[in-house]
Amino acid sequence: MARKKQIITPRMWDKLSDAEQQQARREIITRVRDALKRSPHTALELRACVPAEMKGAFPVVLRSLLDAGEVASLGHSVYAAVPWMPQTSAVRADVTADLIIGVLSSERRAGADATELADDLLLPVPQIRAALVELEEAGLICEAKASGHYRMISRRMAMEVRHGASGRIFADVRHA
């Protein structure tokens, strides 16, 4: 007789016990460090490395790595390990916004509302709504045909996000 496939349901960070939070933190930090040793990755690529049951803990752990200075946002949803040298330019990172950009670029190209995105990313709806407002004001997303549903502002930008960090060159080319 065939066994039923067990479905793993991820839970949000605040729904995990202290022991589960510590286990998720260790596992996610290890996977993010390993991925970033190889090359820069987008937020969605890093999230894909995380076991399904720990995806709800990913935004919190990535934020802690950013706050600790171990990981830096290069902009455009791309993250890199911080080399042991002074930071050359400040980039404001927003994990929630970066994950939204990734989802709207790949999984929900036709658009999504705050509730759908919250379900996809296992984040609170108010946090998603705030990030959607910021992304719209920055000109990265716009309302789709359905009211309250958002999509990427252009196909080209969505394609760049889907392509990920592979093959990109990150260098400061400004001249003083």
Side-chain angles (χ1 to χ4, degrees), residues 62-118:
L62 185 57
R63 167 56 49 205
S64 70
L65 288 169
L66 282 163
D67 292 343
E70 186 170 340
V71 173
S73 172
L74 301 178
H76 306 289
S77 301
V78 177
Y79 292 84
V82 174
W84 292 106
M85 61 183 215
Q87 186 175 352
T88 56
S89 62
V91 176
R92 186 182 155 271
D94 185 341
V95 174
T96 303
D98 290 344
L99 289 170
I100 289 170
I101 287 171
V103 169
L104 291 179
S105 297
S106 58
E107 298 169 16
R108 293 192 176 263
R109 294 182 194 178
D113 66 10
T115 304
E116 292 168 336
L117 291 167

Side-chain angles (χ1 to χ4, degrees), residues 8 24 39-40 43-44 46 50 59 79 81 92-93 100 105 108 122 131 133 138 146-147 150 165 173:
I8 298 171
S39 67
L44 222 50
L46 291 172
V50 174
Y79 292 84
R92 186 182 155 271
I100 289 170
S105 297
R108 293 192 176 263
L122 303 167
V133 169
S147 179
Y150 292 88
V173 294

